[in-house]
Amino acid sequence: MTASSIGGSWPDKMRQLYGASPIHAYMGFTMEEVGDGEVTVVLAAKPEFVNGIGVIHGGVITAGLDSAILQSVRSRCSDGDRLTTVELKVNFLEGAHPPRLVFKGRAVRVGGSLGVALGDAYDENGKHVATAMGTISIRRRR
């Protein structure tokens, strides 16, 4: 599926492209909300994502934060622009327990070639379990 083969608004296209992404489908991520510079990504955590002390592994949480941050920047880009995370810093605040995590991304600034965004991860009960900041490279479609 390509962006040009999908109809609808840019947020609708973003949701459809996200849903067609093999890694997001494999891990269980879904994009629930898309706004101007803001997204919400949800993870239905698989039992394999839990580490030896019973919490969701930090790498899984990092993947969710990365996804939410990049997509928040993408929401302010054009169809066909190529985005890549070039820097990501994560602070883990508390252990995250299954079955569901919510990741909220918010674009702070989106320029011509770089975007900066913040992300937060929450568990099923709304407990703030991690926070992140990332820099996204933007290759504009010509």
Side-chain angles (χ1 to χ4, degrees):
M1 179 183 311
T2 64
S4 60
S5 68
I6 299 172
S9 69
W10 181 229
D12 290 339
K13 288 182 182 183
M14 283 183 58
R15 277 190 209 90
Q16 291 174 12
L17 288 168
Y18 193 89
S21 165
I23 187 64
H24 296 131
Y26 175 78
M27 291 190 73
F29 289 111
T30 58
M31 186 183 299
E32 291 201 348
E33 297 176 24
V34 180
D36 180 21
E38 296 185 359
V39 301
T40 301
V41 171
V42 174
L43 172 66
K46 299 177 181 183
E48 297 87 358
F49 295 167
V50 177
N51 65 21
I53 60 171
V55 296
I56 298 173
H57 188 277
V60 174
I61 295 168
T62 299
L65 287 165
D66 178 37
S67 183
I69 285 170
L70 185 137
Q71 296 301 322
S72 72
V73 172
R74 182 180 304 285
S75 73
R76 290 195 175 157
C77 291
S78 298
D79 190 0
D81 290 348
R82 300 285 182 208
L83 281 67
T84 305
T85 303
V86 295
E87 181 269 337
L88 181 65
K89 183 198 185 312
V90 177
N91 289 97
F92 299 100
L93 307 174
E94 294 195 44
H97 297 276
R100 184 173 185 266
L101 289 179
V102 175
F103 302 92
K104 295 194 174 276
R106 181 176 59 86
V108 174
R109 183 162 196 301
V110 178
S113 62
L114 289 176
V116 174
L118 303 174
D120 293 293
Y122 302 90
D123 73 2
E124 179 85 5
N125 299 313
K127 180 174 62 173
H128 194 192
V129 297
T131 190
M133 180 174 170
T135 305
I136 308 299
S137 169
I138 305 166
R139 289 184 25 206
R140 300 287 182 178
R141 178 185 63 176
R142 294 181 188 248

